[in-house]
Amino acid sequence: MSNKILKINDISISNDLPFVLIAGPCQLESLDHSRKIAETLCKLSQKLDISFIFKGSFDKANRTSLKSKRGLGLEEGLTILDKIKSEFNCPVLTDVHEPEQCSITSEVVDIIQIPAFLCRQTDLIIGAASTGKALNVKKGQFLAPSDMKYIAEKISSVGNNNIMLCERGTSFGYNNLISDFRSIPIMAETGYPIVFDATHSVQLPGNNNGLSGGQREFVPTLACAASAVGIAAIFIETHDEPDTAPSDGPNMIPLS
């Protein structure tokens, strides 16, 4: 199947085009903090001539422990994303967890992301797809890459073909993930752009006393391997002080 081209503003995303960078913090923490990260990433992307999409989550509902910090919430998070979008003239991406969040989120963001744990939740998928916005669907750690075509079919069933499919590692025993690079060409058989999530692929889920650990030192290796296979976008979470970040610090790349 020929590779589809997804247009986000003036950015073209496809498996046979130069990769797009999707990057930002795991959680949105404040407007000033988001500005700092967005400004650094925009300058770097312009210097390297890489198309850039800012990501940030208003809620991290899939935390290991009830004690974990979840984020700023829908209203404040979307306000921050709207300001980042207008100030830096870049598309923005965030994830949703409930069908009711989709229409509200679509008023601000350019791409709605479906978390890996929720990729088979039909009502959420249909709700997000029905907004007409582009969707980035993360492959569940439990899912075969060949099964992602059925998720794409759910989205296209409502007339939305603005689809990206995202590889983010596969469960490999307890508290561990492994990247099977066969999944990239398998998912690419759909023709949709494939995203490689380099930071969540090195996550060690729930292995740190109610928190997830990670091995950020392997992010560059996996990102390079994915780009060698051929992908449309690389997804990287980054933070100025990842060791003190409210979530996913061990697998985030230092902003510097």
Side-chain angles (χ1 to χ4, degrees), residues 40-254:
T40 300
L41 294 173
C42 279
K43 288 180 178 178
L44 180 63
S45 299
Q46 290 168 4
K47 178 182 178 181
L48 300 175
D49 193 25
I50 297 171
S51 297
F52 167 63
I53 298 168
F54 180 84
K55 74 79 48 182
S57 299
F58 59 80
D59 182 20
K60 304 303 295 184
N62 298 326
R63 298 271 68 93
T64 301
S65 170
L66 185 62
K67 299 177 182 178
S68 299
K69 295 181 179 179
R70 287 185 51 170
L72 299 175
L74 180 63
E75 184 175 353
E76 186 175 357
L78 290 180
T79 298
I80 291 173
L81 288 169
D82 195 32
K83 291 183 182 297
I84 294 298
K85 179 178 180 176
S86 60
E87 290 180 20
F88 295 97
N89 193 31
C90 63
V92 294
L93 172 153
T94 198
D95 36 4
V96 294
H97 297 86
E98 301 172 2
E100 294 75 18
Q101 295 174 340
C102 297
S103 60
I104 301 170
T105 300
S106 70
E107 296 175 4
V108 173
V109 306
D110 302 279
I111 303 172
I112 296 175
Q113 182 166 279
I114 305 297
F117 282 126
L118 302 179
C119 70
R120 286 184 55 167
Q121 299 299 312
T122 300
D123 290 344
L124 179 62
I125 294 288
I126 296 298
S130 296
T131 67
K133 291 288 182 174
L135 268 61
N136 181 37
V137 185
K138 293 202 174 181
K139 179 180 72 66
Q141 303 92 320
F142 47 84
L143 203 64
S146 57
D147 288 340
M148 287 295 283
K149 63 185 177 185
Y150 301 115
I151 296 170
E153 288 173 1
K154 292 180 183 180
I155 299 169
S156 64
S157 72
V158 296
N160 188 342
N161 288 296
N162 302 314
I163 301 168
M164 295 188 291
L165 304 177
C166 182
E167 167 61 35
R168 52 93 72 232
T170 300
S171 294
F172 191 66
Y174 297 126
N175 306 124
N176 198 17
L177 300 173
I178 190 169
S179 292
D180 179 359
F181 289 102
R182 294 175 299 179
S183 67
I184 293 175
I186 290 171
M187 290 195 293
E189 290 176 1
T190 63
Y192 294 114
I194 304 303
V195 181
F196 182 72
D197 181 345
T199 39
H200 286 97
S201 291
V202 301
Q203 189 182 61
L204 301 175
N207 85 321
N208 188 22
N209 297 316
L211 301 173
S212 289
Q215 297 174 307
R216 70 168 71 103
E217 66 270 23
F218 295 121
V219 168
T221 301
L222 295 185
C224 287
S227 64
V229 173
I231 35 89
I234 295 177
F235 180 106
I236 293 179
E237 289 189 339
T238 182
H239 195 281
D240 52 321
E241 297 181 10
D243 289 333
T244 60
S247 59
D248 279 355
N251 50 265
M252 278 199 284
I253 291 292

